[in-house]
Amino acid sequence: MTGRPIGRIAVTGVGPVVEHGGRPAKSVIGEEFEVVATVFREGHDAVGATVVLTDTDGHEHRVAMHRVDTGLDAWSATVSADRPGSWSYRVEGWSDPYGTWHHSAVINVGAGVDVALMLEEGARVLERAVAEVPRSKEQAVTLTDAIAALRDAGQTPEARLGAGVAAEVQAELRERPLREHVTTSSDHPWLVERERALYGAWYELFPRSEGARLDDRTGQWRTGTFATAARRLDAVAAMGFDVVYLPPIHPIGRVNRKGRNNALRAEPSDPGSPYAIGSSDGGHDTVHPDLGTIDDFDAFVGHAHELGLEVALDLALNCAPDHPWVTAHPEWFIRRADGSIAYAENPPKKYQDIYPLNFDDDPQGLYAEIRRVVQFWLDHGVTIFRVDNPHTKPLWLWERLIADVAAGRPGVIWLAEAFTRPPMMHTLARIGFQQSYTYYAWRNTRDELTEYCTELAGPAAAYMRPNFWPTTHDILTPFLQRGGSATWKMRAALAATLSPSYGIYAGYELMERVARPGAEEQIDNEKYEYKDRRWAEHDEAGTTLAPYLRRVNQIRRAHPALHRLRNLRFHHADDEHFLVFSKARRIYDRDDVILVVANLEPEHTRDTWIHLRMPELGLDWPDRFVAHDLITGENWNWTEHNFVRLGPATEPVHIIHVRPEAVIGPR
């Protein structure tokens, strides 16, 4: 025989399970998700099912499952964890003597068949439940009273049966059931992480641009520094962001340095791409001298922490031709037939200023150096790594590195910047990356967004957490190139509400949307030059989306429903250019419900009827409720069917708080 024996009670189809239990399913502290299983047995006797959670200390916690589809023998339970670490769960299937008796007794006593026998069998089942299952005296009284009533010949059969199937008896046996023939599934690993692994608002900035100034007299740039960039952090925090993300801050190579807009020839004043790492000034464990010293970096991190911001650093395993590793460890690079080192290519893109690493000739030595570099930045306050192009490195590297770091620093978060084939993106998530870049930037229509987000919030959510970015320093989609402020508002609002984690690249507030001809990236790309965005002037003139981003982030923080992914539910609109979705979450004894309605062509005023799946909002189909728009402060009386008009003259997106206490229709 191969495989696990079936057991007395069949327990199959347990989920979520990642790679047949070879890798852990993931959640964060307090994140609820469903454990499902198929549980059945031969014949017609009743069965029950229980999820057994084993916490980090080895203690077991049992959660009753409920049947969700009788015909398919499908069972489900909602579970969550109260602390981070390595948990596991399994499903137990068991024969239910009380449930079997309950079903037969109701039928037979109602038909007058074997009445006395059925009532006595019920009393004996309850006696077993008292004797065999630990319970308090008060809990036992509920059952002993029912036993006495079942045997009370002075009462009618109907009254005696009623005592045996009373609601309080059923509730007690749901909580502490009498179980026979218990059969267990395998234990499945479950990794519980801190909330930032799932939820957070990111803001990307280049330190060299924050505080950079062009000298009109000389035509030369004065670079920004860690000190000037630290002054920008107050505005970032004021907009409500949680993470400040820095592209590489290391020395930049001088050999084959790229000029403006990726030009092959750099002018003497061109700073080069920060992804061409390394020079005579140092490598991956060094800060660019133009930015300051490592003490200045520490001060930057310290100020970020004072403002409640975590610092994410780009881990880009690229080397400029003059990186110290090229001389010290030539075996770490790929040699071509003519003896030269191969530069990086991603056809049609060519990166003559970057040498990719070779992990085949000295994998242990190279790994040890990378691990040392990561530890260096951990020791300087970095808690998150955004990994550049992880799909171009061996998968074993990330599996080993992330696990190794987690052994000493379990709260460190890794974001995979991989826009590549889905199998690679999903595998990176399975082997340890807490978050993943996605194709959100290129999903624009209702069908595209619905299909993609349903995938991400469905089975993939057990291991892959999306981070939605409308733009990055590499990406400026045609949709945003063509759009005005309504379009830029809409894409930011959707990113912030569809996904618990989303990111904004500096300059989004100013709607920087001029592309380099023939490319989906900005002209005068910040990767190759300084940017003086003159923030104060835009704030004074009101030509910035900063107030809108601040409001969206305030809404996110105030509404825990938006901190989750698996609770995403879509609703219908007659106009295909509208997207309607909701998120609901119970906090203690209250439901937080957010409903979002977006015009996906916001430069044009459009109207439509939307049709809500009221139970997804915690309401009954006939109910009415007050829809409070969290962007504008307006209120409307809404029902299942509502008329909506959105466009450039109003707002492109309704972010609506569904107020249960304000429901004025029938309940």
Side-chain angles (χ1 to χ4, degrees):
M1 183 193 304
T2 60
R4 183 182 177 89
I6 190 64
R8 184 66 176 80
I9 306 298
V11 180
T12 65
V14 176
V17 174
V18 179
E19 292 188 358
H20 307 289
R23 300 190 185 279
K26 298 177 185 176
S27 76
V28 299
I29 300 169
E31 180 187 4
E32 293 185 333
F33 65 97
E34 275 194 310
V35 174
V36 299
T38 301
V39 179
F40 60 96
R41 63 168 295 174
E42 84 288 347
H44 302 289
D45 285 1
V47 298
T50 306
V51 178
V52 182
L53 313 176
T54 303
D55 65 25
T56 56
D57 296 323
H59 299 140
E60 293 186 347
H61 311 266
R62 283 176 161 75
V63 180
M65 303 184 78
H66 62 278
R67 196 190 303 265
V68 293
D69 191 314
T70 301
L72 296 178
D73 297 306
W75 295 74
S76 172
T78 299
V79 303
S80 63
D82 61 359
R83 75 197 78 161
S86 295
W87 292 56
S88 67
Y89 58 86
R90 67 180 184 270
V91 172
E92 295 179 341
W94 37 274
S95 182
D96 180 6
Y98 176 78
T100 300
W101 170 79
H102 182 290
H103 177 75
S104 297
V106 169
I107 294 173
N108 288 342
V109 172
V113 176
D114 296 331
V115 172
L117 179 61
M118 293 305 305
L119 295 174
E120 176 58 25
E121 287 182 348
R124 294 187 182 189
V125 167
L126 293 182
E127 284 178 333
R128 287 184 57 201
V130 172
E132 298 178 19
V133 181
R135 62 187 86 238
S136 69
K137 290 183 179 180
E138 293 77 9
Q139 293 160 352
V141 165
T142 300
L143 302 186
T144 56
D145 286 350
I147 293 168
L150 283 165
R151 287 174 170 155
D152 185 356
Q155 300 292 323
T156 66
E158 291 77 15
R160 294 162 67 184
L161 175 64
V165 299
E168 58 269 23
V169 173
Q170 295 186 53
E172 174 60 25
L173 290 174
R174 277 195 301 271
E175 190 69 23
R176 283 163 287 276
L178 173 65
R179 308 192 305 169
E180 292 180 333
H181 308 306
V182 177
T183 305
T184 67
S185 72
S186 299
D187 283 288
H188 299 295
W190 171 21
L191 178 62
V192 182
E193 298 174 297
R194 65 187 181 103
E195 189 175 45
R196 186 66 70 232
L198 174 66
Y199 163 73
W202 292 48
Y203 188 91
E204 177 189 1
L205 62 83
F206 282 65
R208 73 186 186 188
S209 287
E210 301 302 333
R213 293 290 182 270
L214 178 64
D215 188 321
D216 294 331
R217 183 178 58 82
T218 65
Q220 299 298 307
W221 279 92
R222 183 186 69 195
T223 181
T225 65
F226 290 128
T228 58
R231 293 198 284 270
R232 176 66 183 156
L233 293 178
D234 293 83
V236 173
M239 283 188 286
F241 288 96
D242 307 297
V243 178
V244 57
Y245 150 52
L246 309 180
I249 56 174
H250 318 299
I252 297 171
R254 294 178 176 83
V255 177
N256 295 340
R257 177 176 288 190
K258 291 294 187 73
R260 295 184 61 185
N261 289 309
N262 203 26
L264 291 176
R265 181 178 180 276
E267 298 298 328
S269 60
D270 287 339
S273 168
Y275 289 91
I277 296 171
S279 73
S280 59
D281 292 316
H284 284 74
D285 59 353
T286 311
V287 297
H288 197 303
D290 284 357
L291 298 176
T293 66
I294 192 65
D295 289 338
D296 295 324
F297 176 77
D298 291 343
F300 175 92
V301 173
H303 187 50
H305 290 172
E306 290 171 357
L307 296 169
L309 293 165
E310 293 193 52
V311 176
L313 183 62
D314 218 318
L315 181 62
L317 297 182
N318 309 320
C319 295
D322 40 336
H323 192 293
W325 290 350
V326 176
T327 301
H329 294 281
E331 70 276 13
W332 292 354
F333 301 90
I334 299 172
R335 294 282 180 179
R336 305 188 68 180
D338 62 1
S340 65
I341 296 178
Y343 60 76
E345 294 187 70
N346 182 17
K349 295 181 179 180
K350 295 180 182 292
Y351 304 96
Q352 295 88 343
D353 55 341
I354 293 173
Y355 287 167
L357 292 168
N358 166 27
F359 287 86
D360 295 328
D361 292 344
D362 181 22
Q364 299 308 318
L366 184 50
Y367 174 81
E369 177 64 2
I370 293 169
R371 180 65 181 87
R372 184 191 67 80
V373 166
V374 168
Q375 189 63 47
F376 177 87
W377 294 110
L378 290 171
D379 292 342
H380 285 276
V382 173
T383 54
I384 303 174
F385 291 97
R386 179 267 200 191
V387 178
D388 186 63
N389 288 330
H391 57 291
T392 63
K393 317 299 185 295
L395 290 170
W396 67 258
L397 168 68
W398 305 121
E399 182 176 39
R400 180 178 175 185
L401 182 62
I402 294 171
D404 191 13
V405 170
R409 302 280 186 95
V412 174
I413 294 167
W414 302 79
L415 168 63
E417 188 261 351
F419 300 102
T420 185
R421 300 180 303 279
M424 173 60 83
M425 295 173 69
H426 284 260
T427 299
L428 288 166
R430 290 188 183 102
I431 65 173
F433 279 93
Q434 282 80 10
Q435 293 189 10
S436 305
Y437 275 67
T438 69
Y439 287 111
Y440 168 73
W442 297 278
R443 299 295 187 264
N444 297 312
T445 69
R446 179 172 74 182
D447 288 347
E448 290 170 346
L449 286 164
T450 301
E451 179 181 7
Y452 191 47
C453 292
T454 298
E455 171 195 335
L456 293 173
Y463 58 87
M464 184 176 184
R465 303 187 186 102
N467 196 322
F468 279 7
W469 291 73
T471 66
T472 73
H473 59 256
D474 288 316
I475 299 168
L476 178 64
T477 62
F479 188 80
L480 284 172
Q481 293 173 28
R482 297 189 300 266
S485 62
T487 297
W488 285 65
K489 282 183 174 182
M490 180 270 290
R491 291 299 292 181
L494 285 186
T497 52
L498 283 167
S499 175
S501 284
Y502 88 111
I504 292 296
Y505 162 48
Y508 194 96
E509 307 97 306
L510 310 183
M511 295 168 287
E512 295 174 345
R513 59 184 181 274
V514 180
R516 183 162 58 87
E520 287 192 12
E521 66 177 40
Q522 291 182 15
I523 199 167
D524 302 330
N525 193 303
E526 193 171 6
K527 283 193 301 182
Y528 306 107
E529 61 183 88
Y530 303 103
K531 286 279 189 181
D532 178 7
R533 292 190 168 93
R534 302 181 183 274
W535 297 111
E537 294 179 14
H538 286 283
D539 290 340
E540 184 176 348
T543 54
T544 170
L545 295 181
Y548 188 80
L549 296 175
R550 181 184 305 115
R551 183 61 191 140
V552 168
N553 285 333
Q554 287 172 343
I555 293 169
R556 281 169 50 89
R557 287 187 175 178
H559 290 277
L562 297 175
H563 301 185
R564 296 292 181 259
L565 173 66
R566 302 183 222 218
N567 58 351
L568 177 63
R569 302 291 184 270
F570 288 96
H571 304 257
H572 182 69
D574 291 345
D575 186 338
E576 65 178 0
H577 298 99
F578 276 78
L579 185 71
V580 186
F581 60 91
S582 65
K583 288 187 173 184
R585 181 180 172 192
R586 175 161 283 268
I587 303 295
Y588 302 111
D589 60 344
R590 296 175 65 84
D591 289 326
D592 181 41
V593 184
I594 296 295
L595 175 67
V596 178
V597 184
N599 177 358
L600 300 178
E601 287 193 347
E603 302 302 324
H604 305 282
T605 297
R606 307 188 70 93
D607 53 54
T608 189
W609 281 92
I610 65 171
H611 309 281
L612 305 177
R613 296 159 56 192
M614 299 295 275
E616 298 289 2
L617 307 181
L619 303 172
D620 294 328
W621 288 104
D623 283 348
R624 293 179 290 163
F625 64 95
V626 170
H628 175 62
D629 192 315
L630 295 167
I631 295 291
T632 65
E634 295 177 275
N635 294 289
W636 306 282
N637 289 319
W638 276 17
T639 63
E640 176 188 353
H641 309 289
N642 308 282
F643 181 79
V644 175
R645 175 178 287 124
L646 292 169
T650 56
E651 288 288 347
V653 178
H654 289 319
I655 303 179
I656 290 168
H657 182 208
V658 176
R659 292 179 165 173
E661 71 275 11
V663 172
I664 55 178
R667 295 306 302 261

